[in-house]
């Protein structure tokens, strides 16, 4: 089998560093639905992602604006200085992210071909790769970032470039990601089979061949697919 993974909210739960940052920087913030606040925080980040991808703002500036606008949306007093503190703390906790034991055990034992393609600043994403220890499981020449290849998801050219770099037929690969629009739609159109790891119950749709909601469900599916492949 051939599996290409997204990174953020796929190889690890991106909400964890966010929640740790919230606890440190704004422990007394009155937010009734923190899960929805987190989703809004991500959506705001996606809305300004192109500015970072084009080099108009830095990765840290992106994080500062994302935090500032998220609190602004909820009418919570929160200045740019606090947003900078939030981003600094968030970056600190990114150095403590981990792949779950369940997924790590699968990656350690599978015979599948593995790759990673993640949107983001190359230096920032590769810092995460190192912290997560992905090179214990993934070959360095199969790990890519949008900054590195010059195209970002959901641009179809991004997936075409990954296929070129992997010398891969997309019809023989699965793409696994958390974001329906970024990770499922164009990958499916190009011919990938798709697995939506929808940890936080966001948008879903017909471009996903499979939908799972946890690492445990994902690993169960991958093991099932591996068994099917081995029977051929």
């Amino acid at each position: 089998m051939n599996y290409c993974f997204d990174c953020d909210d796929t190889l690890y739960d991106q909400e964890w560093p966010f929640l740790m940052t919230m606890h440190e920087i704004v422990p007394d913030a009155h937010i009734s639905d923190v899960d929805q606040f987190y989703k809004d925080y991500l959506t705001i980040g996606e809305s300004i992602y192109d500015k970072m991808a084009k080099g108009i703002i830095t990765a840290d500036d992106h994080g500062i604006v994302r935090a500032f606008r998220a609190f602004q949306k909820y009418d919570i007093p929160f200045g740019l200085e606090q947003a900078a503190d939030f981003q600094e703390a968030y970056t600190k906790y990114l150095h403590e992210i981990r792949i779950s034991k369940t997924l790590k055990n699968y990656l350690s034992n599978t015979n599948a071909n593995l790759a990673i393609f993640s949107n983001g600043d190359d230096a920032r994403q590769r810092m995460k790769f190192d912290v997560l220890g992905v090179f214990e499981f993934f070959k360095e020449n199969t790990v890519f970032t949008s900054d590195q290849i010059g195209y970002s998801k959901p641009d179809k050219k991004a997936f075409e470039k990954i296929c070129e770099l992997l010398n891969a037929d997309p019809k023989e690969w699965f793409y696994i990601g958390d974001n329906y629009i970024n990770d499922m739609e164009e990958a499916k159109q190009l011919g990938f089979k798709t697995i939506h790891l929808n940890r936080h119950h966001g948008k879903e749709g017909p471009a996903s061949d499979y939908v799972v909601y946890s690492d445990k469900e994902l690993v169960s599916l991958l093991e099932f697919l591996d068994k099917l492949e081995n029977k051929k």
Side-chain angles (χ1 to χ4, degrees), residues 113-124:
N113 295 311
L114 304 173
I116 296 173
F117 175 46
S118 176
N119 272 1
D121 173 78
D122 190 66
R124 177 62 62 91

Side-chain angles (χ1 to χ4, degrees), residues 10-141:
T10 301
L11 290 176
Y12 73 99
D13 186 351
Q14 193 176 9
E15 191 173 16
W16 180 83
F18 170 81
L19 292 175
M20 295 298 290
T21 302
M22 290 286 289
H23 180 72
E24 177 177 332
I25 302 299
V26 286
D28 299 322
H30 298 292
I31 300 172
S32 59
D33 189 343
V34 176
D35 286 340
Q36 184 58 50
F37 183 79
Y38 171 67
K39 291 176 184 177
D40 291 336
Y41 169 82
L42 292 183
T43 299
I44 290 166
E46 289 168 6
S47 73
I48 57 173
Y49 174 80
D50 281 350
K51 290 184 178 180
M52 183 180 69
K54 294 175 181 177
I56 298 172
I57 59 175
T58 67
D60 280 332
D61 289 339
H62 173 269
I64 291 168
V65 174
R66 175 174 61 181
F68 177 77
R69 291 186 180 176
F71 283 95
Q72 189 178 52
K73 177 180 175 67
Y74 281 71
D75 295 322
I76 298 173
F78 195 79
L80 285 173
E81 186 173 334
Q82 283 178 290
D85 291 341
F86 193 97
Q87 177 61 16
E88 183 178 355
Y90 181 75
T91 300
K92 176 183 69 175
Y93 288 114
L94 283 177
H95 284 82
E96 300 178 22
I97 56 177
R98 297 290 183 268
I99 298 174
S100 71
K101 291 181 180 179
T102 300
L103 182 54
K104 183 177 286 190
N105 184 62
Y106 172 79
L107 295 173
S108 298
N109 293 289
T110 185
N111 291 320
N113 295 311
L114 304 173
I116 296 173
F117 175 46
S118 176
N119 272 1
D121 173 78
D122 190 66
R124 177 62 62 91
Q125 295 307 101
R126 291 190 180 279
M127 175 274 287
K128 297 175 191 174
F129 298 157
D130 288 339
V131 171
L132 292 168
V134 301
F135 297 113
E136 295 178 33
F137 318 110
F138 297 80
K139 297 177 182 178
E140 290 195 31
N141 64 352

